[in-house]
Amino acid sequence: MTQFESSIKVIPYAQKRVYSKLSDLSNLEGVKDRLPADKIQDMSFDSDSLSFSVSPVGKITLRICEREPEKCIKFETTKSPLPFNLWIQLVSTAEEECKIKLTIKADVNPFIKGMIQKPLQEGLEKMAEMLSSIPY
């Protein structure tokens, strides 16, 4: 297993509020316009799953497979050229502040890892940045 982690970002909102918004994917309607249109297209979602196309990778569908209230949301791919799991972890640091970290675990061979490591790390970082800057 290969693991990729975002840096830890601070969100100026209570952990419960952030978890509540992120654990129901239908709340993401408001952030669609913050996504880079040149990288992500055809985004659609319901409360438990999220689908989008990423160039040059193709169509990816993620489904929430586990919710640990206020702490962690785990996703698994149901459709992806590269199967992986994604964790969104939240830690409260103050009454109106929490920290967020994203982790991806994928079973990739060393050849593929060399090709995907940089774009995957950059994508994870951009996603963490976007999630830390939206209103909750």
Side-chain angles (χ1 to χ4, degrees):
M1 268 307 168
T2 302
Q3 184 167 307
F4 301 92
E5 294 181 348
S6 72
S7 56
I8 295 169
K9 305 287 184 194
V10 175
I11 300 177
Y13 293 95
Q15 178 181 359
K16 184 176 185 172
R17 194 166 162 177
V18 174
Y19 175 84
S20 169
K21 183 161 185 164
L22 295 179
S23 64
D24 179 351
L25 297 178
S26 57
N27 290 327
L28 296 179
E29 187 65 47
V31 302
K32 280 172 88 168
D33 60 341
R34 290 177 177 254
L35 301 171
D38 60 325
K39 302 256 191 278
I40 298 175
Q41 298 91 30
D42 308 325
M43 186 179 215
S44 64
F45 39 79
D46 58 31
S47 60
D48 292 320
S49 63
L50 165 70
S51 294
F52 53 92
S53 294
V54 183
S55 56
V57 179
K59 186 98 170 153
I60 295 175
T61 302
L62 290 166
R63 183 180 63 81
I64 294 177
C65 57
E66 189 180 326
R67 290 176 175 92
E68 189 181 335
E70 298 179 26
K71 292 184 181 148
C72 186
I73 306 160
K74 295 181 182 177
F75 297 82
E76 63 186 5
T77 52
T78 55
K79 181 178 182 184
S80 173
L82 172 72
F84 64 88
N85 290 335
L86 167 71
W87 283 260
I88 297 177
Q89 294 164 288
L90 300 168
V91 176
S92 182
T93 49
E95 199 175 309
E96 283 298 317
E97 182 184 280
C98 64
K99 290 183 177 176
I100 187 169
K101 181 173 92 172
L102 278 55
T103 304
I104 285 181
K105 285 188 182 173
D107 198 2
V108 293
N109 69 46
F111 176 72
I112 298 289
K113 181 181 175 184
M115 291 176 16
I116 65 165
Q117 190 161 3
K118 190 173 182 223
L120 198 56
Q121 189 67 49
E122 286 173 0
L124 203 54
E125 211 51 55
K126 284 185 178 122
M127 194 168 148
E129 187 65 45
M130 188 261 302
L131 290 175
S132 68
S133 66
I134 59 176
Y136 285 94

